[in-house]
Amino acid sequence: MSAATAGHPESTPGIDVSDSRGRTGLDQVGRGLTGNPDVIVRDVRLLSSNWFVLRATTFDFRHRDGHWSTEDRETYDRGDGATVLLYNTEQNTVLLTRQFRFPAYVNGHPDGNLVEAPAGLLDDDDPLAAIERETAEETGYTISDAAHLFDLFMSPGSVTEKLHFFAARYSAATLTGAGGGLAGEGEDIENVELDFTEALAAIGTTIVDAKTVILLQWADRTGLLEAR
């Protein structure tokens, strides 16, 4: 007789027993929030923890006119990340990458190969260490002078991720590895070096990745490189 048949609920990976990544208590996130008196979290349900975490949360929300409503929202938690604009002021160039992104492909991108700034999840690192790691893995370049710019929520309607933005110099002298990403994770990443003016002109055509557009426009606004 199974535990469920005997009247005992079955264990749920990610809640009371470890999921594939060793996590438990994933249904507790958000329950203790007290920063906004107009929001009272009532229930958190774990929908999936196959790799990242999908939750459904029920909360009471007080509107501006004073009335309360009960709302349900799904949130996708993939952890926070970091991204960097690699630039060379002597050459007036930026170093981007090209890699296949299935979500973009399935949502209408012609081939799914996006030109974008190096980026990755923090995992257990702080943002600076993470972007140094990701830059080396993806491009083969070593950076040591990354400047933190700002932090942004990229899709706050459904995704919890906060992205930490950086800028760092690169040159031929800082190319220390092969790059290309991690083969064990199915990555196949190509370096794409562009003149800064060419990169700006590609926004909305061959460059349609939001974080990359933000970094290029930041560089243009601050005069980091010359648009000519």
Side-chain angles (χ1 to χ4, degrees):
M1 179 180 295
S2 69
T5 305
H8 300 288
E10 299 229 359
S11 296
T12 302
I15 296 180
D16 49 359
V17 295
S18 297
D19 65 6
S20 61
R21 300 183 70 182
R23 301 169 297 192
T24 59
L26 296 178
D27 62 331
Q28 299 303 305
V29 174
R31 292 182 184 271
L33 292 174
T34 59
N36 188 340
D38 297 326
V39 177
I40 301 174
V41 175
R42 297 298 184 186
D43 187 36
V44 180
R45 302 176 304 283
L46 179 64
L47 303 181
S48 174
S49 63
N50 182 52
W51 188 251
F52 302 130
V53 182
L54 180 64
R55 299 181 180 90
T57 300
T58 301
F59 59 91
D60 293 339
F61 177 70
R62 180 163 52 193
H63 296 255
R64 288 181 296 165
D65 64 4
H67 85 276
W68 288 85
S69 65
T70 299
E71 307 293 337
D72 288 289
R73 296 289 187 274
E74 288 186 4
T75 56
Y76 190 55
D77 183 355
R78 61 191 301 271
D80 292 339
T83 186
V84 64
L85 180 67
L86 300 176
Y87 65 95
N88 184 311
T89 52
E90 287 73 30
Q91 298 178 176
N92 204 56
T93 55
V94 292
L95 184 69
L96 305 176
T97 65
R98 181 184 289 111
Q99 60 180 306
F100 178 71
R101 299 295 200 182
F102 183 77
Y105 185 43
V106 78
N107 196 30
H109 190 277
D111 59 14
N113 292 311
L114 265 60
V115 175
E116 54 186 280
L121 296 178
L122 303 186
D123 294 327
D124 295 324
D125 288 332
D126 63 66
L128 179 59
I131 200 55
E132 291 175 344
R133 180 197 71 223
E134 289 295 328
T135 299
E137 290 177 358
E138 293 190 2
T139 71
Y141 284 83
T142 297
I143 57 173
S144 58
D145 64 341
H148 177 254
L149 307 178
F150 40 75
D151 304 330
L152 299 176
F153 292 97
M154 299 300 291
S155 188
S158 57
V159 182
T160 62
E161 180 185 23
K162 179 167 61 179
L163 194 60
H164 303 267
F165 286 74
F166 292 85
R169 296 177 182 271
Y170 80 95
S171 68
T174 61
L175 180 60
T176 58
L182 299 179
E185 295 183 4
E187 294 180 333
D188 184 7
I189 301 173
E190 173 189 3
N191 285 349
V192 179
E193 188 174 49
L194 296 174
D195 179 84
F196 183 56
T197 301
E198 182 182 356
L200 287 176
I203 291 175
T205 54
T206 56
I207 296 180
V208 293
D209 171 67
K211 65 181 180 293
T212 307
V213 172
I214 291 170
L215 284 168
L216 291 173
Q217 292 183 334
W218 168 84
D220 188 35
R221 179 180 62 82
T222 59
L224 181 71
L225 295 163
E226 296 180 11
R228 56 194 178 196

